[in-house]
């Protein structure tokens, strides 16, 4: 029996199943475990030869190319910690809607203190300005939930030994604000002149939106640390 798995992020379970459907009659059985956009896909076969399995696996991967983050079963937070260490990078986080969730997840990884400097919960707009230096003009012109604010949040983190930052800002609900819809989220990651900001539109409860934001922030960190974030 051949049994393998890979990890993807950014897709709901229904979308993952839809992409796997063309392979349902190819001699492979699938299992999908998805939590807040982070998913483990298992593939098993009793009938295929190893070379046949590998050929099909390549085709399956192509269905998820931009969402795959690991060919082995590893948690996003653990992979982020591993890549930070391998790249000798020091991370800081600025969290608005996630309220410290991202930092808490990272701090559950043993040894992360070598590569994680601090997490700042800047929930209030005033905090974004006073703690991170987000300009009052940016907050007034674009709002706390904007790509401009997310970018400036990251810039405010880069100091001393910190050489990479991640920031989250958005509306977790249940009510809209600033004329923007619930589920609108901006995630920024990077340093210096290269701080890509990603806009997301999440659905679900307040808890769902916050946890999806954390997982996607980890995913973008993985892509950034692997050097292939430009493809997103």
């Amino acid at each position: 029996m051949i049994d393998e798995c890979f990890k993807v992020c950014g897709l709901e379970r229904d979308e993952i199943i839809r992409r796997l459907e063309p392979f349902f009659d190819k001699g492979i059985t699938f299992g999908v475990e998805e939590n807040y956009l982070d998913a483990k896909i298992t593939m098993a076969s009793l009938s295929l030869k190893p070379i046949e399995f590998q050929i099909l696996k390549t085709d399956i991967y192509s269905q998820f190319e931009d969402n795959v983050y690991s060919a082995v079963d590893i948690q996003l937070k653990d992979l982020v910690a591993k890549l930070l260490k391998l790249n000798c990078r020091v991370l800081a986080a600025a969290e608005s809607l996630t309220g410290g969730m991202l930092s808490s997840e990272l701090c559950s990884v043993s040894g992360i203190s070598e590569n994680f400097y601090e997490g700042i919960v800047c929930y209030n707009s005033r905090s974004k300005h006073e703690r991170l230096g987000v300009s009052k003009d940016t907050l007034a012109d674009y709002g706390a939930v904007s790509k401009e604010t997310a970018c400036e949040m990251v810039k405010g983190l880069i100091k001393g030994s910190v050489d990479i930052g991640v920031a989250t800002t958005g509306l977790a609900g249940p009510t809209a604000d600033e004329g923007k819809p619930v589920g609108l989220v901006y995630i920024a990651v990077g340093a210096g002149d290269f701080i890509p900001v990603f806009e997301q539109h999440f659905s679900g409860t307040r808890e769902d939106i916050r946890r999806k934001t954390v997982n996607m922030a980890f995913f973008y960190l993985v892509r950034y640390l692997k050097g292939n974030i430009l493809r997103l």
Side-chain angles (χ1 to χ4, degrees):
M1 179 177 178
I2 304 172
D3 189 0
E4 295 187 17
C5 77
F6 64 101
K7 304 293 290 289
V8 302
C9 190
L11 301 172
E12 301 278 0
R13 189 177 189 278
D14 288 347
E15 174 61 17
I16 294 172
I17 296 297
R18 186 190 69 78
R19 296 190 188 192
L20 290 173
E21 282 180 354
F23 305 95
F24 283 177
D25 61 351
K26 304 294 186 181
I28 295 179
T29 57
F30 297 95
V32 179
E33 302 173 26
E34 182 260 325
N35 288 289
Y36 307 111
L37 303 179
D38 181 24
K40 174 184 175 181
I41 301 173
T42 57
M43 306 175 292
S45 178
L46 291 170
S47 59
L48 293 177
K49 298 177 180 178
I51 185 62
E52 294 172 328
F53 185 90
Q54 293 304 317
I55 291 172
L56 272 176
K57 185 174 77 170
T58 299
D59 292 338
I60 293 166
Y61 267 47
S62 69
Q63 297 295 313
F64 300 93
E65 185 176 9
D66 290 335
N67 300 96
V68 175
Y69 68 84
S70 177
V72 297
D73 189 7
I74 185 172
Q75 293 189 56
L76 274 166
K77 62 182 179 181
D78 294 319
L79 184 54
V80 168
K82 179 180 179 180
L83 290 171
L84 285 170
K85 186 172 184 178
L86 286 173
N87 287 278
C88 299
R89 307 296 291 273
V90 176
L91 173 73
E95 302 184 62
S96 187
L97 81 154
T98 48
M101 278 185 171
L102 186 151
S103 298
S104 179
E105 285 286 303
L106 270 184
C107 288
S108 70
V109 181
S110 177
I112 192 62
S113 60
E114 294 181 16
N115 302 97
F116 184 48
Y117 182 78
E118 67 178 349
I120 298 174
V121 178
C122 47
Y123 204 76
N124 186 277
S125 291
R126 184 175 174 183
S127 172
K128 292 177 177 64
H129 170 66
E130 294 180 351
R131 293 296 302 274
L132 295 170
V134 178
S135 76
K136 290 182 178 180
D137 288 342
T138 296
L139 292 167
D141 294 344
Y142 302 103
V145 179
S146 65
K147 63 180 181 180
E148 291 82 5
T149 293
C151 182
E152 289 191 29
M153 288 168 69
V154 168
K155 289 181 178 179
L157 292 169
I158 309 302
K159 59 184 177 183
S161 60
V162 176
D163 49 26
I164 179 173
V166 60
T168 64
T169 184
L171 294 170
T175 56
D177 193 18
E178 297 182 350
K180 298 170 183 176
V182 171
L184 174 63
V185 169
Y186 291 96
I187 301 167
V189 56
D193 295 327
F194 182 48
I195 305 176
V197 182
F198 302 94
E199 180 178 319
Q200 297 285 342
H201 295 266
F202 296 136
S203 60
T205 66
R206 182 178 177 85
E207 181 76 359
D208 292 340
I209 292 168
R210 296 174 72 213
R211 291 195 176 277
K212 287 177 182 179
T213 301
V214 170
N215 282 340
M216 289 306 298
F218 280 146
F219 176 64
Y220 291 136
L221 273 169
V222 167
R223 295 297 295 265
Y224 185 92
L225 289 165
K226 285 185 175 182
N228 59 1
I229 202 166
L230 287 173
R231 293 181 58 190
L232 297 177

